[in-house]
Amino acid sequence: QVQLVESGGGLVQAGGSLRLSCAVSGRTFSSYDMGWFRRAPGKDREFVAAISWSGSYTWYADSVKGRFTISRDNAKNTVYLQMNSLKPEDTAVYYCATRSRRYGGIRSNVNEYDYWGQGTQVTVSS
């Protein structure tokens, strides 16, 4: 059974930083692409960033490009999201996700991901 567990969320002032982690179990982590998404109050879940199985390729939403960095440690079965220069509009529940297809390629569409974590709350105060 594939399980994803996010951690690292919290309350931070605008301009601050947070690092989210997502630990994955139940599969060969290094064979699968990973993504981060978020859902703000009253909005649909949206793409934030994705990383290929090898870590060689990354993709970011325009709203976070230059501020957020996605990375992974295949030895630790963990994907990270380093968030810098946070803004109040970054406030959301953040989810990590993975696909069921090995080496399937990074995607931004929420429907391309099959397994999800429970989410971690990030709140940015102004």
Side-chain angles (χ1 to χ4, degrees):
Q1 182 179 358
V2 180
Q3 290 189 317
L4 294 81
V5 179
E6 300 97 336
S7 61
L11 173 64
V12 64
Q13 288 188 332
S17 298
L18 282 175
R19 188 196 197 200
L20 305 184
S21 300
C22 173
V24 181
S25 60
R27 62 162 32 173
T28 305
F29 177 75
S30 58
S31 299
Y32 296 90
D33 310 298
M34 298 292 301
W36 283 98
F37 293 79
R38 66 187 182 187
R39 176 176 281 162
K43 295 187 177 181
D44 292 332
R45 194 172 300 193
E46 66 173 4
F47 170 73
V48 174
I51 188 166
S52 62
W53 58 272
S54 65
S56 297
Y57 300 98
T58 57
W59 189 1
Y60 297 92
D62 288 343
S63 59
V64 307
K65 201 172 296 181
R67 300 187 298 122
F68 291 11
T69 302
I70 188 172
S71 61
R72 64 190 297 159
D73 185 337
N74 286 345
K76 294 183 178 180
N77 289 3
T78 301
V79 62
Y80 304 98
L81 186 68
Q82 177 67 44
M83 305 185 295
N84 299 330
S85 301
L86 282 161
K87 304 176 182 180
E89 51 263 44
D90 295 317
T91 294
V93 178
Y94 283 72
Y95 301 88
C96 66
T98 188
R99 305 183 67 199
S100 61
R101 181 180 175 184
R102 287 189 180 212
Y103 315 119
I106 52 176
R107 297 288 188 270
S108 63
N109 190 327
V110 64
N111 295 319
E112 298 271 8
Y113 290 81
D114 305 288
Y115 302 100
W116 294 81
Q118 82 289 347
T120 185
Q121 176 71 47
V122 172
T123 303
V124 185
S125 64
S126 57

